[in-house]
């Protein structure tokens, strides 16, 4: 760390991040969660500067709804990251559980949060990203699983992240140069720029439309009634996949 120079305003934040990593390092070493986004790039690099006792094993939870640019970016620039396939039957889960909603974002459990059980997981979460993350802490136990989270760059804002990437000459996804400020799951329930995502990622959008058709067919197969497996009627009924998809992306 002493040999690495950062802009003055970053120096304190980087030292804070390294201190957090050193303080909470578990006996078996960290499990690193790597998404390929700008925050993962920064936290992975800072972790490499920390005087840890054990190497970090980094993991990417392969997502069928990540932008396709993520895959070659990780392969080419982060070959040490392990690829984990926790969401092999993702589209089947969508049919069974329903489309992810802001009030029921069950998809994260099967994609982004599936790994690291029994471990201490390094995350790139930042308070500047939203209200929920503003309430998070540097070191925190998972609310239900045997899993702990360490968030070294919690106090970084967007400018800090980009300043760090620039100062270190780190690679980053080309999508950021195409107007994307955040890169995550395509048509995430929290995404507000759905038309732009449909334009940029038509194959994934087509998969969402296709699964809407499977959902409609599944509901209609129950004696022509829109009821779930427990016999409860759904609040909204849709005759076609296009109707369901249009309702879902309105984000009402």
């Amino acid at each position: 760390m002493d040999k690495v120079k950062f802009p003055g305003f970053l120096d304190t934040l980087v030292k804070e991040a390294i201190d957090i990593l050193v303080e909470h390092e578990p006996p078996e070493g960290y499990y690193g969660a790597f998404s390929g986004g700008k925050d993962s790039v920064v936290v992975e690099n800072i972790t490499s500067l920390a005087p840890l006792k054990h190497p970090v094993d980094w993991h990417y939870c392969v997502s069928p709804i990540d932008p396709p640019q993520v895959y070659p970016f990780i392969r080419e620039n982060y070959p040490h990251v392990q690829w984990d396939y926790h969401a092999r039957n993702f589209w089947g889960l969508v049919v069974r559980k329903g489309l992810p909603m802001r009030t029921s974002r069950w998809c994260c459990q099967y994609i982004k949060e599936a790994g690291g059980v029994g471990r201490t997981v390094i995350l790139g979460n930042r308070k500047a990203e939203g209200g929920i993350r503003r309430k998070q802490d540097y070191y925190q136990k998972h609310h239900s699983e045997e899993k702990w989270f360490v968030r070294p760059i919690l106090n970084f804002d967007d400018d800090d992240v980009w300043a760090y990437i620039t100062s270190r000459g780190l690679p980053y996804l080309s999508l950021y140069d195409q107007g994307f400020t955040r890169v995550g799951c395509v048509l995430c329930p929290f995404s507000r720029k759905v038309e732009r995502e449909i334009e940029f990622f038509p194959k994934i959008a087509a998969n969402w439309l296709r699964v809407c058709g499977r959902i409609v067919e599944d509901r209609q197969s129950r004696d022509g009634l829109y009821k779930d497996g427990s016999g409860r009627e759904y609040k909204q009924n849709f005759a076609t996949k296009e109707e369901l998809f249009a309702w879902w992306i309105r984000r009402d």
Side-chain angles (χ1 to χ4, degrees):
M1 175 61 183
D2 294 336
K3 297 179 181 179
V4 181
K5 300 297 182 182
F6 297 98
F9 67 94
L10 269 183
D11 195 58
T12 300
L13 287 172
V14 175
K15 287 181 177 177
E16 177 186 63
I18 288 176
D19 288 344
I20 290 167
L21 287 164
V22 171
E23 178 183 355
H24 297 290
E25 182 181 14
E28 71 279 8
Y30 282 117
Y31 174 107
F34 190 86
S35 70
K38 65 184 186 301
D39 300 327
S40 285
V41 165
V42 169
V43 79
E44 191 274 345
N45 191 261
I46 290 178
T47 301
S48 72
L49 304 177
L52 300 176
K53 297 176 182 177
H54 306 280
V56 177
D57 54 309
W58 290 95
H59 296 255
Y60 167 57
C61 291
V62 181
S63 167
I65 52 176
D66 264 351
Q69 292 86 347
V70 170
Y71 309 140
F73 174 77
I74 295 177
R75 287 196 188 99
E76 293 169 13
N77 297 285
Y78 296 91
H80 59 286
V81 172
Q82 177 178 319
W83 290 41
D84 297 336
Y85 295 83
H86 298 291
R88 290 184 184 276
N89 188 35
F90 175 74
W91 298 112
L93 286 171
V94 176
V95 175
R96 182 160 60 88
K97 290 179 168 290
L99 293 165
M101 308 293 290
R102 276 175 287 171
T103 54
S104 179
R105 196 172 51 163
W106 57 264
C107 42
C108 292
Q109 176 186 353
Y110 291 90
I111 300 176
K112 301 297 184 181
E113 301 170 1
V117 176
R119 302 288 302 278
T120 302
V121 181
I122 300 175
L123 298 176
N125 293 5
R126 297 182 296 111
K127 290 182 179 180
E129 293 178 294
I132 293 176
R133 294 191 174 183
R134 275 194 290 272
K135 300 175 183 178
Q136 293 177 340
D137 205 348
Y138 304 105
Y139 182 70
Q140 208 166 12
K141 188 180 183 302
H142 190 279
H143 60 86
S144 61
E145 295 180 337
E146 281 299 305
K147 186 190 303 187
W148 291 259
F149 297 127
V150 169
R151 304 179 178 95
I153 64 169
L154 200 59
N155 283 334
F156 280 56
D157 62 23
D158 284 1
D159 289 340
D160 298 328
V161 167
W162 286 115
Y164 187 95
I165 288 173
T166 301
S167 68
R168 296 285 285 167
L170 302 179
Y172 59 87
L173 274 167
S174 60
L175 289 170
Y176 292 113
D177 292 330
Q178 296 175 279
F180 287 87
T181 56
R182 296 180 69 175
V183 176
C185 297
V186 175
L187 297 183
C188 169
F190 283 93
S191 174
R192 294 291 185 178
K193 298 181 178 180
V194 294
E195 296 300 333
R196 180 176 176 81
E197 292 187 10
I198 291 171
E199 176 188 355
F200 265 77
F201 314 113
K203 289 186 178 179
I204 298 177
N207 284 336
W208 279 117
L209 178 60
R210 189 175 298 113
V211 82
C212 283
R214 291 177 60 187
I215 291 172
V216 170
E217 290 174 3
D218 180 69
R219 294 183 179 183
Q220 290 176 339
S221 68
R222 299 190 178 94
D223 298 324
L225 302 175
Y226 288 89
K227 295 183 178 181
D228 63 21
S230 301
R232 295 185 294 265
E233 290 191 13
Y234 290 103
K235 292 181 180 179
Q236 295 91 9
N237 295 329
F238 303 94
T240 67
K241 62 184 179 182
E242 289 82 7
E243 285 184 12
L244 176 55
F245 184 71
W247 169 82
W248 183 59
I249 64 173
R250 278 203 305 270
R251 303 293 193 253
D252 291 339

